[in-house]
Amino acid sequence: MSLVVDSERVLARDPASVARAISLVEDRRPEAEAAAIELLRALSRSGRGAACHRVGVTGPPGVGKSTLVSALIRGWRARGRSVGVLAVDPSSPRSGGALLGDRARIELDPDDREVFVRSMASGGQLGGLARAAGAAVEVLSAVFDVVLIETVGVGQSETDIEHVADTVLFVVQPASGDVLQFIKAGIVEIPDVVAVNKADLGAVAVRAVAELESALRLGAEASGRAEPRVLATSASTGVGIGEVLAALEAHFAAVVAGGQLPAVRRAKNAAWATRLFALRYGERGVDQRGGSRAVRAALERELAGGATLFEALASVAPEP
Amino acid sequence: MAVKDPPWIMRTYSGHSTPQASNALYRENLARGQTGLSVAFDLPTQTGYDADHPLARGEVGRTGVPVGHIADLSALFDGIDLGRMNTSMTINATAAWLLALYVAVAEAQGVPSRALRGTTQNDIVKEYLSRGTYVFPPAPSLRLTVDTILFTVEHVPDWNPINISSYHLQEAGATPAQEVAYSLATAITVLDEVRARGVEGAAFAKVFGRLSFFVNAGMRFVEEACKLRAFGELWERLGKERYGVADEKLRRFRYGVQVNSLGLTEAQPENNLVRIALEMLGVTLSKNARARAVQLPAWNEALGLPRPWDQQLSLRTQQLLAYETDLLEYGDLFDGSPVIAAKTREIAEAAWAEVEDVIERGGAVGAVESGYVKERLVASNARRIAAIESGEQVVVGVNRFTETAESPLTAGGAADAILRLDPAAEREQVEALARFRRARDADSVARALDALRAAARGRDNLVPVSIAAARVRVTTGEWASALREVFGEYRAPTGVAGARAPELGSGYEPLRERVAELEKRIGRRPKILVGKPGLDGHSNGAEQIALRARDAGFEVVYEGIRVTPRELARAAADEGVHVLGLSILSGAHVELTRDVLAELRARGVTIPVVVGGIIPEADRVLLCAEGVAAVYTPKDFQIAKILAELCEIVERSAT
Ligand code: B12
Ligand SMILES: Nc1nc2c(ncn2[C@@H]2O[C@H](COP(=O)(O)OP(=O)(O)O)[C@@H](O)[C@H]2O)c(=O)[nH]1
Ligand SMILES: [Mg+2]
């Protein structure tokens, strides 16, 4: 099979080509990496990703992230927007294999070419995003109006999502200890919007909303960030979905209106690139390049010069 | 001559093609000494679709009888006096509707509802967990169940409105304790709901007394006998302690049984006849825990649908035990045995611990919604299959004593040893439905459906409006569609991602190495989409392949049952999988595979497709000729071997 993917067809939203583009960025063979860099450069040159709203959906397993993604897709499709989804599930530490089950909760019309759902295995990175997730998001951003990234939802490395998304939606469910977990884990600083899902379960949801609001207020005061909206939703009945959608859009609109989007994205990209660098080349690689600060600075320079993430990584790579 | 106990009710689970053909079959079966009827419905009827619905294509009359309306049910029981018959109907999501049709047909025969005897299975929880013919979400489903119970207790007093089924749990891999526990948890959920509706005192006790069970019995028949004793003890205690039912008679554990079919093999299929006979011992030997009704599968269970002669052989097996042996002449053979008492206690304790666990997790419904119980079942099944694969659990003719002389029973090929369906039956049924629709009053139909929707939105019991709808010739699909509008639909958790699979033996090391090597060659981990197209709910095979593939190192996409060919093709394309594996056991594999292949072609997806399930040899040849890369059936019990082949198939196509 040829490794070359026609970027024009990807940009034309041809589903098979979009799928092949993602398979290409997942491909670990050296010859594939070259083709991937080429493709990402072409997509980046199109400038189409600039307007895309990238939404990260995170939170503990079972709270209803996928069901919520499904409801959000419906909402955005009803507003005429195209949606690409990347759903990341954990890889088994035993075998390296993975069961990708999010798709089962995401309802879609198989004839609708304006939606695209792809599952990806985290590839053993503890709870974090898949190695190829950033690149896959780049592909999807060039193609769709909105890109949703659902993460594995465990552990501290949840913070990864911040690097690849413009807006982070954190999902919890009432009365599960999630709220406490959430405060303890220090994730309080990441979300821009919080959904307390399964509100159909009743009074516990109301209480959870109040608890979260006060925790987040404290967090926001401490960090100086804007206080996230907390909304009750029921992904199964549709209650609150419109509000979440509006809150996500409002967050993005504020960043765009402030003119900060390009700078914010550059900074996120650099942080993500630094993380990938460390994963790929290990501590030794980082040391060889003069430590993590220096690596980040070098990557930032590359990115500012118009390099794509893969290119930046390749040019900053340590000597073999 | 000693005084004998009366034998249990003898039934055979049957029905196929059309109501007329099934009626003929029932009359034959009764003439051969069967003492009750057990109706198998086709999948469209069970999932609330009319014969002309696109999702019904290829499934009409295939694994059971289609009943689309009052005329169908009337034809099914033509010449059978419903006032004297004891009819068991395996119907769940649409149970209230089939009961309504039954009452309406009896009425037309001049039989009052009070005289009816029989059973609606009506246990939705195990549909989510194993059987797969659910339609609505848990809450409205439970309401329908309770509506049916409350209606029959008042108007059809000898009816068994719900047959809480542990049978299907064992068929999905449950251990004896799990089987007991999860069905008791279901009973508790149902009874609590009845109580929440304000039913109390004597009325509640009457409800308790009408609940019956449908259990399984496998080859370990001593343990199975103890399981049933434990079941009875726990039920009795539950009635007394949790629900305060004073009347001892109302606390009696009543159950029917179908013996285990999961263990019936494709290899040396004649051995199954002996298995069935031994399995029957577990539910008949102990008088104090004896089944009220027994139905046996047939020796050719794993090959396909049984013919009348195959079913007769199973009926004769029951008759031999009941009429030729001296079993029914004695009191309980096990009372006083310390061995039996200890085993019974062990099962009861383990089961009760698990019941409490489930209650803590939100009862049967909560533990279904969270996927917890399903995960436990998938894990148990994985352990069972791993034990067979390793030879630790002996299956004669499969992993031991596999040498065999040629069997005259399958000399003409296994395909000749099963029932062949008339391919014209579906068309006939669709045409009859069209005629039926033309000959009815559209206004009364519309009014009846409005009344049904209104009742569904409110709190009225849904059975009376359903009976009224049956009388004015509403169809099964219309009834279900009206309720789908109000209640919505549901997809149950697959239990696969969360299942704690057993540690795999060293046999898996070479396979994992093979997968790693393949990854190097193709650049990614091999990725498979496991798909279940059509209405087929048999998920065991798909689940176990998915689980095992993951543990061998594959990336696996699995979306559960009832995914359309178009959705599967779309998923295969988007997901960039290297291979699509279909699992089809309902018999509709030729039509469904063709549909999937066409959908893939239409999207320009050129990945290999493999198919697993109950697939006769002739169909295997046909499917391979049409482009399928490989076909697997139950005799391919070594999943490691299947996965190694998949590696070859992926490598061939991806490089
Ligand atoms: C267990 C069982 C059930 C369970 C299913 C539980 C569950 N969640 O799966 C229960 C009790 C619920 C059930 C119900 C019914 N059943 Co049933 N059932 C069986 C039984 C006994 C075993 C099937 C099984 O699970 N085997 C174990 C698994 C692991 O094996 P397997 O699926 O064959 O998979 C192996 C291979 O085939 C292959 N494979 C399978 N899929 C895939 C996929 C891939 C990708 C690959 C690579 C390989 C592969 O690899 C596996 C490993 O060895 C068979 C008869 C038999 N002994 O085979 C009847 C059988 C399949 N059932 C049958 C019927 C008719 C029904 C009903 C429709 C009856 C009715 N009218 O209501 C219902 C309704 C179910 C529904 N919703 O569709 C018929 C089908 C007739 C036909 N094809 O012509 C059978 C053949 C029995 C019979 N002879 O009548 N059933
Ligand atoms: N009651 C209720 N259940 C929900 C809701 N959203 C999701 N669920 C259920 O929660 C379970 C987990 O949902 P899923 O979307 O897979 O969660 P994820 O693991 O966070 O992606 C499923 O059984 C859903 O049906 C909701 O709003 N209310
Ligand atoms: Mg999910």
Side-chain angles (χ1 to χ4, degrees), chain B residues 198-260:
Chain B
V199 181
E200 286 169 349
F204 184 88
K206 224 156 75 183
V207 168
F208 191 92
R210 286 321 304 165
L211 265 56
S212 59
F213 289 77
F214 181 57
V215 313
N216 205 324
M219 285 300 281
R220 296 170 54 83
F221 68 81
V222 179
E223 184 176 47
E224 294 291 42
C226 295
K227 173 185 82 186
L228 286 153
R229 288 168 78 93
F231 225 145
E233 284 174 23
L234 291 174
W235 182 242
E236 148 86 10
R237 218 172 78 196
L238 197 70
K240 193 152 64 188
E241 292 170 13
R242 186 178 174 103
Y243 296 109
V245 176
D247 184 345
E248 211 173 296
K249 275 218 309 277
L250 295 177
R251 294 199 307 258
R252 283 265 282 281
F253 180 67
R254 300 181 305 128
Y255 76 92
V257 62
Q258 156 108 3
V259 304
N260 182 289

Side-chain angles (χ1 to χ4, degrees), chain A residues 1 19 23 26-29 92 94-101 103-105 109-112 115-119 121, chain B residues 491 493 496 501 503 520-525 527 550-551 553-559 566 570-571 573-576 603:
Chain A
M1 254 217 289
S23 298
E26 284 186 308
D27 198 320
R28 287 162 174 270
R29 287 172 296 183
S92 149
R94 254 196 266 166
S95 69
L99 260 165
L100 309 170
R103 201 180 180 96
R105 292 269 157 231
D109 171 1
D111 294 325
D112 185 355
V115 238
F116 180 92
V117 176
R118 176 72 168 233
S119 318
Chain B
R491 284 189 77 80
V496 170
E503 204 57 73
K520 284 212 186 75
R521 283 184 189 229
I522 62 176
R524 296 187 287 148
R525 281 200 171 258
K527 191 172 182 183
R550 179 203 55 196
D551 290 340
F554 281 66
E555 289 180 359
V556 185
V557 181
Y558 174 56
E559 297 182 79
R566 184 163 295 182
R570 176 71 205 252
D574 283 12
E575 294 291 348
R603 284 164 203 276

Side-chain angles (χ1 to χ4, degrees), chain A residues 8-9 20 24 32 52 82 88 115 119 126 135 137 164 237 240 252 281 294-296 299 304:
Chain A
E8 290 305 319
R9 302 200 38 193
R20 286 179 55 210
L24 178 63
C52 169
S82 60
V88 183
V115 238
S119 318
L126 256 180
V137 170
V164 296
T237 67
F252 187 57
Y281 304 114
V295 167
R296 173 151 180 167
L299 287 167

Side-chain angles (χ1 to χ4, degrees), chain A residues 60-68 102 105 150 197-201 233-237, chain B residues 369-370 490 493:
Chain A
V63 296
K65 293 182 295 299
S66 302
T67 317
L68 202 61
D102 295 317
R105 292 269 157 231
E150 178 182 337
N197 192 39
K198 308 199 183 178
D200 48 301
L201 299 182
T233 60
S234 168
S236 6
T237 67
Chain B
E369 287 185 315
S370 69
Y490 186 70

Side-chain angles (χ1 to χ4, degrees), chain B residues 44-50 53 67-70 91-101 120 122 124 133-136 140-145 147-148 433 436-437 440 445-456 460-489:
Chain B
T45 305
Q46 295 189 53
T47 49
Y49 295 112
D50 280 334
H53 192 282
V67 173
H69 43 71
I70 189 166
I91 196 75
N92 296 277
T94 53
W97 172 244
L98 266 300
L99 175 72
L101 286 174
T120 34
N122 204 18
I124 202 70
T133 68
Y134 53 83
V135 174
F136 315 113
S141 294
L142 196 59
R143 169 190 169 182
L144 275 167
T145 304
D147 280 356
T148 310
L433 177 65
F436 177 85
R437 284 217 190 92
R440 62 184 187 170
V445 169
R447 269 197 307 276
L449 288 171
D450 283 341
L452 176 65
R453 274 185 289 259
D460 286 350
N461 191 309
L462 290 172
V463 179
V465 273
S466 299
I467 296 175
R471 286 192 197 113
V472 300
R473 305 166 80 84
V474 161
T475 67
T476 299
E478 290 160 351
W479 180 86
S481 162
L483 293 186
R484 280 181 159 101
E485 276 170 45
V486 180
F487 295 152
E489 291 190 72

